[in-house]
Amino acid sequence: MAPTWLSRSEGMVRSPRPSRRRHPFLFRPLPQAWPDRQSDPVTEDTTKNALRAELTRRRARAFAVNPMAGQTLAALFPAALAPKGGIVSAYAPFRDEIDPMPLATRLARLGCRIALPVTPPKGSPEPLTFRLWTPGQALVRSAYGVMEPDPDLEVVHPDVVLAPLLGFDRRGHRLGWGAGHYDKALSAL
């Protein structure tokens, strides 16, 4: 899965529509419909868990076919879309997520400042914080097992957020691991 992005910068150009060619692992119809926002919470949780399981399997197969997708993303990203002087938040890949670090390195060379998220402690109602980070700078393992920047680095508010995900629906609703960290952070930006 390619990361989604959110931009606060004015004048950002929307990316072109994806080609009609479908990747066999990622674009087959899902076995169940995406949960309706007004559905029963128990059914919605069960459906989301089933979707997470299916999308995790699909992503693992896609990663096995193309583990270098992050390098491809960096090479194909149009330099004109880089918000010069802006702050772009990437993330350290977890499990078989696409690796946005090659793109973050390229964006830094194009004049962007890079931030990485820091996850709040387990059980905390706080959203992610974004810390200014330089490609190549050391990362530390969080309580969730995710690599993150040093929590003492400067907190920033990114202009563009590359967010990891398991999937999304046609309306752009993101499906992640279920803790809601990115949902809270994106709504606070």
Side-chain angles (χ1 to χ4, degrees):
M1 285 281 168
T4 56
W5 58 273
L6 167 79
S7 172
R8 292 187 302 141
S9 303
E10 292 196 26
M12 282 295 276
V13 179
R14 291 185 105 189
S15 59
R17 293 184 64 100
S19 74
R20 296 251 179 231
R21 203 171 104 201
R22 303 286 189 204
H23 189 286
F25 296 132
L26 300 179
F27 297 106
R28 289 190 311 243
L30 291 171
Q32 300 176 15
W34 190 272
D36 184 355
R37 294 258 184 229
Q38 297 177 351
S39 64
D40 174 43
V42 174
T43 305
E44 184 173 332
D45 287 346
T46 304
T47 303
K48 281 186 176 181
N49 288 339
L51 284 169
R52 281 187 186 96
E54 174 63 20
L55 291 171
T56 299
R57 284 191 294 276
R58 288 183 189 193
R59 189 172 72 187
R61 289 191 311 243
F63 183 80
V65 169
N66 187 5
M68 305 302 281
Q71 285 81 353
T72 303
L73 172 66
L76 297 177
F77 185 83
L81 292 181
K84 308 277 188 283
I87 300 172
V88 176
S89 174
Y91 59 89
F94 184 63
R95 298 181 185 156
D96 52 15
E97 290 173 339
I98 191 169
D99 184 357
M101 291 306 205
L103 177 58
T105 300
R106 180 165 178 233
L107 289 171
R109 280 193 231 120
L110 291 170
C112 298
R113 295 187 301 158
I114 305 301
L116 293 179
V118 173
T119 311
K122 289 185 178 186
S124 171
E126 297 299 313
L128 297 170
T129 55
F130 298 93
R131 308 255 175 197
L132 206 52
W133 177 80
T134 304
Q137 201 169 19
L139 298 172
V140 296
R141 188 168 307 279
S142 75
Y144 293 94
V146 177
M147 300 304 290
E148 298 179 339
D150 186 314
D152 294 330
L153 294 173
E154 179 186 355
V155 174
V156 295
H157 298 283
D159 300 301
V160 177
V161 174
L162 300 175
L165 54 80
L166 283 169
F168 58 93
D169 69 7
R170 292 178 188 206
R171 294 175 292 187
H173 297 126
R174 178 185 165 277
L175 182 66
W177 290 106
H181 295 300
Y182 269 93
D183 298 331
K184 291 175 196 168
L186 294 176
S187 67
L189 290 177

